[in-house]
Amino acid sequence: MMLRLLGALMLIGLATSANAQCRQALALGLDVSGSVDAREYRLQMDGLAQALSASTVQSKLLSQPDTPVMLLVYEWSGPNDQHTVLQWQPVTSVQDLEQIIVVLQNTQRRDASPGTALGQAMQVGAAHLSKADCWAKTLDISGDGKSNLGIRPRDAKPLLAPQGITVNGLVIGADAPTISDTRQTEIGELSSYFRAEVILGPDAFVETSLGFADYAAAMTRKLVRELQEVQLSLR
């Protein structure tokens, strides 16, 4: 009887604490390395804004305003070149989303170092997530190539695993390949690389974008899949 009472009190305490938190922290890392030109940068930034405008995404984001999702957006390229575009922002209303979308649409490309430091980008995303007090923590990282500088993603993963975060990937293929079969082969290889080296967590997954022109649609699918609706009940 005493054990049951203690268990009930612990659950009540958890519920009270959880009510003060967000249900999910979602950090979005965008690839702005040397392989991404000015047009592709704009397609990526505007594509994320378009995805956040989609009704399917907004319904997920706004389904539990009392326990909101928090969003953060950052850019990554070389080992020492990451830039935060949007600091942690709780999403409790359409107005919150509109403000975020305006920030993305008005963000201009800055000078970024060449190179693809994907492992370092994963560590930066995890550092951002460590500052968010949420039930679930998800890193959504986009990339159009394999890591070629800094810590390897495979070596970064064991460092992130104890933090209990989920890492999902959005793989971006070539926009205008000369041969269609080559396009499918390249995106297949990169998707396999992300599955083996990058994603982390039992429900982690890789979404694919057939070029930057398809980025908005791919990001929409990804957000709908990874945004969580968490219910805490006492039984």
Side-chain angles (χ1 to χ4, degrees), residues 109-185:
R109 181 161 191 171
R110 62 189 180 84
D111 292 334
S113 61
T116 303
L118 184 50
Q120 182 65 24
M122 292 164 62
Q123 290 185 308
V124 169
H128 283 306
L129 287 165
S130 70
K131 300 174 184 176
D133 185 17
C134 299
W135 300 341
K137 299 183 179 185
T138 307
L139 173 58
D140 178 331
I141 194 157
S142 302
D144 73 341
K146 298 179 180 179
S147 186
N148 55 28
L149 288 174
I151 184 173
R152 298 180 301 178
R154 71 172 70 174
D155 296 326
K157 283 175 67 172
L159 303 177
L160 273 57
Q163 300 179 39
I165 68 175
T166 298
V167 181
N168 296 324
L170 200 167
V171 168
I172 309 168
D175 268 317
T178 54
I179 304 174
S180 179
D181 289 345
T182 301
R183 180 185 205 180
Q184 295 297 333
T185 299

